[in-house]
Amino acid sequence: MNFLFFTRNSALGLGLAMDAFSVSLANGLCEPNIKRKKTCLIAGVFAFFQFLMPMLGWICVHTVLKYFEVFEKAIPFIALGLLLFIGIKMIIDGVKPKEEEKCGIGFRGLIIQGIATSIDALSVGFTIATYTFLHAFVACLVIGVVTFIACFIGVIIGKKFGTKISGKANIFGGIILIIIGLEIFLTGVL
């Protein structure tokens, strides 16, 4: 683990956290008098799922797909395809007009939000498939910490400014994921 490892995974975490950041903005807007404890709960739920999903993806690669060595050479292509798909989807979601969102910040609603915003992070398990368990765990931990910070800030900004910048956050996150996908692809192919 070196500086590049932490930089790459921090950027990956930032890219993945943009959906959760946008939802955190909406949560802050829905509850302008939100307490710090609930702000931490919101950020913690999003961080937990952003940590869990890539770890589950990594475990899947090392249990089910481990027996199919053919996939080893395909991992850079899979990573590029998945991150391009997610990145482009995030950019499109950031550009198209939003419908009115309901405030779903009860605990059950928060869990659903956490799962919904982290499903795409499951595919990150494929992008970190070459990592050892320790490296994968630390990478997922970095992603979780970055998500916690982004979502905590998102709730605070949402309280103050609303969701006007949420689309821009999705566009930014999509661009980051596309760049990381290209970097992983070029590193794996060259």
Side-chain angles (χ1 to χ4, degrees):
M1 288 182 257
N2 56 25
F3 180 75
L4 182 61
F5 173 85
F6 286 102
T7 303
R8 176 197 277 180
N9 290 297
S10 294
L12 187 58
L14 189 59
L16 289 171
M18 288 301 110
D19 280 349
F21 175 81
S22 296
V23 175
S24 296
L25 282 169
N27 288 342
L29 178 66
C30 289
E31 198 172 334
N33 297 320
I34 197 167
K35 304 285 187 225
R36 185 174 296 268
K37 183 177 178 180
K38 187 153 187 187
T39 300
C40 288
L41 175 67
I42 291 169
V45 166
F46 286 124
F48 171 75
F49 283 108
Q50 291 287 10
F51 162 82
L52 179 66
M53 292 299 187
M55 201 67 228
L56 288 176
W58 183 90
I59 290 168
C60 177
V61 168
H62 288 275
T63 55
V64 177
L65 297 180
K66 183 179 180 180
Y67 302 106
F68 300 98
E69 291 181 5
V70 171
F71 285 107
E72 188 173 341
K73 290 183 181 180
I75 287 174
F77 295 95
I78 294 169
L80 175 64
L82 290 171
L83 290 175
L84 278 176
F85 175 76
I86 295 165
I88 291 168
K89 182 184 174 304
M90 287 176 69
I91 291 170
I92 291 169
D93 288 347
V95 172
K96 73 179 181 182
K98 300 276 184 206
E99 298 173 11
E100 272 304 304
E101 293 185 20
K102 294 182 180 178
C103 296
I105 52 177
F107 187 72
R108 185 171 160 242
L110 186 57
I111 295 296
I112 292 169
Q113 288 177 347
I115 293 169
T117 58
S118 66
I119 291 292
D120 55 352
L122 188 64
S123 64
V124 172
F126 290 98
T127 69
I128 61 173
T130 58
Y131 289 4
T132 64
F133 175 79
L134 179 61
H135 283 92
F137 184 83
V138 171
C140 294
L141 196 59
V142 168
I143 291 167
V145 168
V146 168
T147 300
F148 181 89
I149 294 167
C151 292
F152 188 88
I153 292 169
V155 173
I156 301 299
I157 292 172
K159 282 174 50 174
K160 295 183 191 267
F161 302 108
T163 58
K164 292 181 181 179
I165 65 170
S166 66
K168 290 176 182 60
N170 273 349
I171 293 168
F172 180 67
I175 291 169
I176 288 174
L177 291 181
I178 290 169
I179 291 169
I180 291 170
L182 290 170
E183 188 265 334
I184 290 169
F185 175 76
L186 293 174
T187 303
V189 171
L190 299 178

